[in-house]
Amino acid sequence: LLLLLLLLLLSCTGVSNLNHEALTYAHAAAVVRGCSFPLKPSMSPAQLQRLLPFVGHFMARIIHQLITTGTCEQLQCFRQDLPVTNSRGDLRPNTAGGATRALFTKLPGVGPIMAEKWFKVGFRSIESLLEAAAADLAAAPAAPAAAAARSQIPYLARSSSSGSRLSKSCQQDSILPLSREAIYSLNYHKDLFESMPDDDVTEMRTEVLQTLTAVTPGVTDGWIMQTVGGAARGGAVHDADWVITNNKCDTKLLDGLVTRVYDNMTRSGRLVSQDEGFCRVQVGKLVGYKEKARKDLLEKTDRGNRHQLDHYDHIWGIYVTKAGKRRRMDLIFVPPDCHSWV
């Protein structure tokens, strides 16, 4: 429980990039995980600081609070949307509204910036956002397409241009900075927030494998779908992440594969399309990555980012089950010669 609370504190730092606050909690979580003796409530903060490596006075006090009460000042502030103080007692910037903003960013297509805007406007729940979204769209000028779909919130935010924002007519009287993706995710937030049952994961895997076979004529075996992410570590997950490759075919098999998979699954209604809701498709980034890696090797430069999966063809999307549930799904397409490295 103590380890879980420390990991929760790590997630509550309010930033996506590593900083010294996050590193402090990460150190503490690692120390607790590797501790060879039981941590007891009778231990004082001074004792904990003396016995635990990489733990200072501030973190020792937090660990003592967690052991004795099951919570601490920082967690309480986070849960109540209050700003968190640092070891000197100063307020940490951009920590107000931590719990609410964390809830908002669970919606596919909603990042930290949009979540912060919503919180600053005054929204504190998904329900309040849904009400505001409905009022916002109802107040917009009635274009023919919008009027026909006004009762269908997730389909109302399609843009005729870039597809990343509401149409200009809707933006003029906008109450919220809502994207098409955000509106779709809001409408299906109950599905997206649920822990994914095993049956849905199995269905998703079967559907993807069938799609891979359908879009690669003549290739009937050799496909590998390796579970990664939270599901690979066990426990409840809200999305399914897979690395996909084929160990019996040439690397050229992957050329254009992600696009064919996207087209096939959106036509069948199993994948939410880019003009409907949250879906990101990345294609062709590996070539540039390899060139950078070659230059780094020649120049003996280490950029420190070579172990990421971001340079592979990728689909970040929402899968629609046969029962009509919306589930998050990530597909990472990896050449066979890179599979062991990934």
Side-chain angles (χ1 to χ4, degrees):
L1 177 60
L2 175 59
L3 176 60
L4 291 174
L5 289 171
L6 284 169
L7 292 174
L8 175 59
L9 279 167
L10 173 60
S11 70
C12 295
T13 53
V15 293
S16 57
N17 297 323
L18 185 66
N19 60 16
H20 69 278
E21 290 96 350
L23 189 59
T24 299
Y25 290 119
H27 278 163
V31 168
V32 169
R33 183 187 286 112
C35 189
S36 60
F37 54 89
L39 300 177
K40 301 178 180 179
S42 59
M43 295 178 175
S44 67
Q47 286 178 300
L48 291 169
Q49 183 179 356
R50 186 172 64 253
L51 293 171
L52 299 175
F54 307 109
V55 171
H57 171 72
F58 177 69
M59 187 54 62
R61 183 165 60 87
I62 289 178
I63 292 176
H64 181 261
Q65 290 178 4
L66 292 173
I67 294 173
T68 55
T69 68
T71 187
C72 66
E73 296 172 11
Q74 284 69 25
L75 274 177
Q76 290 293 87
C77 288
F78 174 82
R79 289 165 174 164
Q80 298 173 24
D81 281 336
L82 299 174
V84 178
T85 57
N86 59 23
S87 58
R88 297 181 299 275
D90 301 326
L91 294 180
R92 288 179 178 166
N94 301 320
T95 57
T100 297
R101 291 187 288 126
L103 173 65
F104 291 162
T105 54
K106 289 182 179 180
L107 294 166
V110 177
I113 294 177
M114 183 176 291
E116 185 176 4
K117 287 181 179 179
W118 288 352
F119 182 80
K120 287 182 176 180
V121 170
F123 293 96
R124 298 293 183 267
S125 68
I126 298 296
E127 290 71 25
S128 63
L129 283 168
L130 280 169
E131 292 176 4
D136 181 28
L137 296 171
R150 184 150 289 163
S151 61
Q152 303 290 330
I153 288 181
Y155 303 100
L156 192 55
R158 297 181 182 179
S159 171
S160 59
S161 55
S162 64
S164 63
R165 290 286 179 180
L166 292 171
S167 63
K168 292 182 179 179
S169 61
C170 290
Q171 289 181 13
Q172 290 173 355
D173 298 318
S174 181
I175 298 172
L176 285 172
L178 285 170
S179 67
R180 177 196 63 255
E181 296 173 344
I183 293 179
Y184 188 95
S185 297
L186 276 170
N187 196 68
Y188 293 106
H189 71 279
K190 292 182 179 179
D191 288 355
L192 297 168
F193 286 179
E194 288 177 350
S195 294
M196 194 180 305
D198 292 340
D199 289 346
D200 287 354
V201 176
T202 300
E203 177 191 324
M204 196 182 298
R205 179 186 180 88
T206 301
E207 185 71 28
V208 173
L209 286 173
Q210 290 176 349
T211 300
L212 290 169
T213 302
V215 301
T216 53
V219 180
T220 58
D221 60 354
W223 289 111
I224 297 174
M225 282 187 66
Q226 181 177 350
T227 303
V228 294
R233 295 187 292 270
V237 294
H238 299 87
D239 63 350
D241 307 310
W242 281 294
V243 166
I244 297 173
T245 191
N246 191 306
N247 60 4
K248 294 186 178 181
C249 295
D250 187 83
T251 300
K252 292 182 179 180
L253 177 67
L254 294 184
D255 292 346
L257 178 61
V258 64
T259 303
R260 298 197 299 274
V261 169
Y262 169 82
D263 290 342
N264 184 286
M265 294 192 71
T266 52
R267 282 197 303 268
S268 67
R270 289 287 166 253
L271 181 67
V272 174
S273 66
Q274 291 175 313
D275 65 348
E276 183 178 359
F278 174 81
C279 188
R280 309 283 173 84
V281 179
Q282 177 173 283
V283 183
K285 200 173 180 180
L286 183 59
V287 175
Y289 164 79
K290 286 184 175 179
E291 179 60 22
K292 288 181 181 178
R294 185 186 70 83
K295 289 182 179 179
D296 287 350
L297 183 62
L298 293 175
E299 299 172 3
K300 297 182 179 181
T301 301
D302 184 5
R303 299 182 186 272
N305 62 353
R306 296 179 181 176
H307 302 281
Q308 301 180 52
L309 301 181
D310 291 345
H311 48 269
Y312 296 111
D313 288 356
H314 204 134
I315 294 177
W316 297 268
I318 296 176
Y319 178 83
V320 182
T321 70
K322 294 177 181 178
K325 292 284 189 177
R326 269 62 178 174
R327 307 298 191 195
R328 276 281 290 111
M329 176 181 72
D330 290 348
L331 304 178
I332 306 166
F333 298 81
V334 178
D337 58 349
C338 297
H339 183 239
S340 58
W341 173 255
V342 172

